[in-house]
Amino acid sequence: MKGIKKSLTEEYLYLDFSHQKEGCIFPLHTSVTLFLLSYCDCTVFKVFLVLPGESTGISLLKNVPSEGVEIQIISRQELPPIVQSCCLPAVVERPDNFCRAGLAVVLRHIIQKSYEADPSKKEILELLGFKKTCLKACAEVSQWTRLCELTVPLAVENFLKESFDQPPTIPAAILELEKKLSEPVRVHNDDKLRRQKLKQQKAAGVGPSLAKEKTKSKGHRQETSEEGDSSSASLELKVAFSKLTIHKEPASANREPSYVRKAKASDLPPLDHVFAEGLYFTLADIVLLPCIHHFLVIICRKLSGKLVEFPLVAAWYQRIQEVPRVQTAASQCGIQFISLPELQTTSSQQPPNLDEAPSAEEQNDPSFIGGPRPTMTKLMEKGIEVMFSPHPCPTWTLDWDTLPAAVSPKEGKMSSDRALRKQQQLNNLVYMVTNQAKPGDRIVDFCSGGGHVGIVLAHVLPSCQVILIENKELSLIRAKKRSDELGLSNIWFIQANMEYFTGMFNIGEHMILCRFADQTAVQLPPQRRLIGKQCMCLVDLDRARAAEEHGFSVQVISMEPESCSPKNNMIVGVPI
């Protein structure tokens, strides 16, 4: 078929399977992944459902999209070793040394491979959103990724386990999503769209203030222009669905009226959400749909009066069913959409004040107040200070001239000065690791970036297994290319958030630093850099104490020379 490309690398997709309820496979991460495969009509992966324990027999497996997709059921013991070290879902490239793990990473990869297999499916690639960044930021740093990838699925799974003997509380994650959907949409051309919306409102006889009141009064319906003109959809809907259909309305060549051109940005009406991230259907909607569907099934059966607490989520659920191929994909995955009752908001039953509702993120991780200074002062008052151990061999260095070129950081895309500093960092790290490593050890380079540490260690310690863990795909691909050039066979590459790595290891290079401890860059003001350094030292002291409590003899050592990196602390722990 024209435009079809055959994948040169065979890839296996591994999905958890815990149970099946009403045709849906749990955990919800698996349902989400299967839904995306069906939506993309993707057949480039061999799919494995992984059962807990050793059992592989299952007789009640239904509604799994298997047309053109090879699906097998295996036990956890049958997973490749690299996958056994990761949380599922996970995708592995043959020959089993490059693994992608975690929901967002795996789903983004499925989209990329579906597009590569058939480049005519440009609408599939558009699921990644503007600049292809949808759910790209890892859950540790992005509240939105964490909400979609972790918080909502887990909250819904827990909600479905409730007995409902007592009136339940709507999960905080659902209210957080409701709050997100109530916020004005920000898109790259929002000024132009907001001016078009102003023109539409004027034509419908609805002023900005009146439109706002009507939006509030309608609760779950965001199409403000429908009150003024029942024959026209809102601007947001027109813009959203124009990307999902073949025929688009031609742009008008007439000049906009003066009241549109001269309106101040502050006077323009905000854009309302059509889909989860704004105006366009993206991967975030794919992730949320199975979760919200199963949540709403229970709500409608037992707690329909609770719908008024999340009208925007309910409206989103109804709207997403209009997207082409969603109905078909849902049906193949055992999702039978339900009709929601019309919401009637009374004066005694108003939707919750979303500005006052605590977010799911805030409940789990209260915000740090007051900056680092109050905490640092309290620690010093208690006599808690950082003590550094002397560097055991500050002049030790690798013989870089005799090493293969692909081992050196000079092979990466960096300046000569930076490459020199990177070599100095590696001298320190390699010295510490090589003095501790034993044949057969597993060495993990957390947040490995381009693999400078891991590749050197894999080369100088061929009897050890080295694992690189990094969230950025391009960095790992570059690292793998260098590894292939060196012919290394003792190295694994795992694209995942650090928390998705569950494997055992003997030595770990952990380069993540907490919040203010990360503010040590050379370009920062000296005072701010000093505070960052102090925070980094206190964080490392805490880590050292934690390691000591788990049976390690620990030293905190500064790299030599200190100028090789603003993050120049090493924590060296030896099992007692």
Side-chain angles (χ1 to χ4, degrees):
M1 184 181 296
K2 187 177 181 180
I4 299 292
K5 293 182 178 179
K6 182 173 178 61
S7 174
L8 299 179
T9 305
E10 189 174 48
E11 299 196 28
Y12 288 6
L13 171 60
Y14 298 94
L15 305 173
D16 266 324
F17 178 89
S18 61
H19 66 284
Q20 192 169 17
K21 183 177 180 181
E22 298 181 359
C24 178
I25 290 178
F26 286 80
L28 285 172
H29 277 188
T30 296
S31 284
V32 169
T33 308
L34 292 173
F35 178 69
L36 178 64
L37 287 173
S38 183
Y39 179 85
C40 296
D41 192 22
C42 178
T43 60
V44 299
F45 297 95
K46 288 188 176 180
V47 181
F48 295 83
L49 294 181
V50 183
L51 302 183
E54 299 180 2
S55 173
T56 58
I58 187 108
S59 59
L60 301 177
L61 200 57
K62 301 177 181 178
N63 296 109
V64 177
S66 57
E67 185 176 346
V69 178
E70 181 183 345
I71 295 183
Q72 299 180 33
I73 299 174
I74 63 172
S75 68
R76 188 160 293 275
Q77 288 74 15
E78 295 176 81
L79 287 172
I82 190 172
V83 181
Q84 292 186 17
S85 298
C86 301
C87 294
L88 303 184
V91 172
V92 177
E93 293 181 6
R94 295 298 175 179
D96 289 355
N97 70 342
F98 197 116
C99 176
R100 294 170 172 87
L103 185 66
V105 165
V106 167
L107 297 185
R108 287 178 56 85
H109 184 63
I110 289 173
I111 290 171
Q112 292 280 6
K113 298 301 290 187
S114 298
Y115 175 70
E116 289 174 11
D118 186 355
S120 68
K121 294 182 178 179
K122 291 185 170 56
E123 72 280 3
I124 297 299
L125 195 62
E126 289 179 351
L127 288 173
L128 297 180
F130 183 60
K131 292 188 176 180
K132 310 296 182 285
T133 57
C134 182
L135 303 186
K136 183 177 182 179
C138 62
E140 287 94 342
V141 300
S142 168
Q143 290 188 10
W144 176 242
T145 299
R146 178 167 289 272
L147 183 69
C148 295
E149 181 182 36
L150 299 174
T151 314
V152 168
L154 181 60
V156 171
E157 287 179 356
N158 290 335
F159 183 80
L160 296 177
K161 295 175 184 176
E162 293 188 20
S163 63
F164 303 108
D165 294 333
Q166 300 293 328
T169 301
I170 298 301
I174 300 298
L175 297 180
E176 177 71 4
L177 178 59
E178 179 77 7
K179 183 177 179 180
K180 293 287 187 184
L181 293 177
S182 72
E183 296 171 355
V185 171
R186 295 283 184 264
V187 292
H188 66 285
N189 60 340
D190 64 353
D191 184 82
K192 177 181 178 181
L193 293 176
R194 290 167 67 194
R195 292 182 190 279
Q196 291 177 9
K197 184 173 181 178
L198 176 62
K199 181 180 178 181
Q200 184 188 60
Q201 288 180 346
K202 290 285 188 180
V206 181
S209 60
L210 181 58
K212 186 179 295 184
E213 290 301 317
K214 288 185 175 180
T215 303
K216 288 181 179 178
S217 68
K218 286 183 287 181
H220 75 292
R221 295 180 62 191
Q222 290 179 289
E223 294 81 8
T224 59
S225 66
E226 290 184 359
E227 290 286 325
D229 180 4
S230 60
S231 65
S232 65
S234 71
L235 173 94
E236 289 91 334
L237 281 175
K238 287 183 177 180
V239 171
F241 282 94
S242 69
K243 289 193 71 173
L244 299 171
T245 55
I246 297 175
H247 302 290
K248 300 183 180 181
E249 295 182 6
S252 173
N254 296 331
R255 193 180 186 193
E256 297 290 6
S258 62
Y259 71 85
V260 174
R261 288 183 284 107
K262 295 180 180 180
K264 296 179 181 178
S266 59
D267 295 333
L268 296 175
L271 298 176
D272 297 322
H273 279 260
V274 176
F275 297 112
E277 290 201 345
L279 302 184
Y280 307 119
F281 183 71
T282 67
L283 177 59
D285 297 283
I286 295 280
V287 173
L288 293 170
L289 179 56
C291 304
I292 299 303
H293 168 75
H294 291 289
F295 168 73
L296 289 176
V297 167
I298 298 298
I299 290 291
C300 289
R301 285 180 185 172
K302 303 179 179 181
L303 308 157
S304 59
K306 292 280 188 179
L307 279 171
V308 72
E309 297 187 28
F310 41 88
L312 302 180
V313 171
W316 167 87
Y317 173 76
Q318 292 175 308
R319 189 179 303 118
I320 203 171
Q321 300 173 40
E322 303 172 31
V323 175
R325 297 203 309 278
V326 163
Q327 291 273 4
T328 301
S331 178
Q332 290 175 348
C333 296
I335 296 176
Q336 301 299 323
F337 287 120
I338 57 175
S339 298
L340 302 182
E342 188 75 15
L343 298 188
Q344 298 295 331
T345 303
T346 65
S347 58
S348 62
Q349 190 180 31
Q350 293 291 334
N353 186 334
L354 298 175
D355 292 331
E356 296 178 0
S359 69
E361 199 70 29
E362 288 170 348
Q363 290 179 340
N364 298 327
D365 183 20
S367 59
F368 185 79
I369 300 173
R373 289 183 179 86
T375 302
M376 293 168 62
T377 300
K378 289 179 182 179
L379 291 172
M380 286 189 287
E381 289 173 352
K382 297 291 185 180
I384 298 175
E385 297 183 22
V386 176
M387 299 295 293
F388 284 91
S389 301
H391 197 297
C393 191
T395 60
W396 186 89
T397 179
L398 284 162
D399 189 354
W400 293 100
D401 293 335
T402 63
L403 294 175
V407 172
S408 173
K410 290 182 179 180
E411 290 295 296
K413 296 180 179 180
M414 61 178 68
S415 66
S416 57
D417 288 343
R418 187 181 173 202
L420 175 60
R421 292 195 300 272
K422 182 64 68 174
Q423 283 185 342
Q424 293 169 341
Q425 296 169 33
L426 294 175
N427 288 336
N428 286 269
L429 294 167
V430 172
Y431 174 82
M432 294 299 173
V433 173
T434 53
N435 276 276
Q436 310 242 353
K438 304 181 296 297
D441 275 356
R442 272 191 177 187
I443 302 170
V444 181
D445 185 5
F446 292 102
C447 307
S448 64
H452 296 299
V453 177
I455 287 174
V456 174
L457 291 174
H459 180 75
V460 301
L461 296 171
S463 61
C464 295
Q465 177 69 49
V466 178
I467 304 173
L468 274 59
I469 302 176
E470 171 60 43
N471 185 260
K472 296 176 182 175
E473 181 181 34
L474 292 180
S475 296
L476 270 189
I477 289 174
R478 285 196 295 267
K480 187 176 186 304
K481 182 179 178 181
R482 290 173 58 197
S483 171
D484 290 345
E485 291 175 4
L486 291 165
L488 298 177
S489 59
N490 62 328
I491 189 167
W492 287 349
F493 305 88
I494 298 177
Q495 184 196 352
N497 296 352
M498 193 173 63
E499 62 193 49
Y500 294 148
F501 176 76
T502 58
M504 300 294 292
F505 59 94
N506 303 97
I507 302 175
E509 294 296 334
H510 183 16
M511 305 296 280
I512 286 282
L513 296 172
C514 298
R515 196 169 294 178
F516 295 102
D518 203 36
Q519 300 185 16
T520 57
V522 175
Q523 62 268 29
L524 292 174
Q527 183 63 21
R528 186 175 170 188
R529 196 164 66 242
L530 176 61
I531 292 174
K533 173 70 173 179
Q534 292 171 337
C535 290
M536 180 174 70
C537 293
L538 289 169
V539 169
D540 289 342
L541 174 65
D542 182 64
R543 290 174 175 163
R545 295 293 177 266
E548 288 173 351
E549 291 174 0
H550 286 79
F552 285 80
S553 173
V554 184
Q555 293 180 309
V556 180
I557 303 171
S558 282
M559 293 181 178
E560 294 290 345
E562 289 192 4
S563 61
C564 70
S565 172
K567 298 180 179 67
N568 50 31
N569 288 354
M570 295 186 294
I571 304 175
V572 183
V574 180
I576 297 175

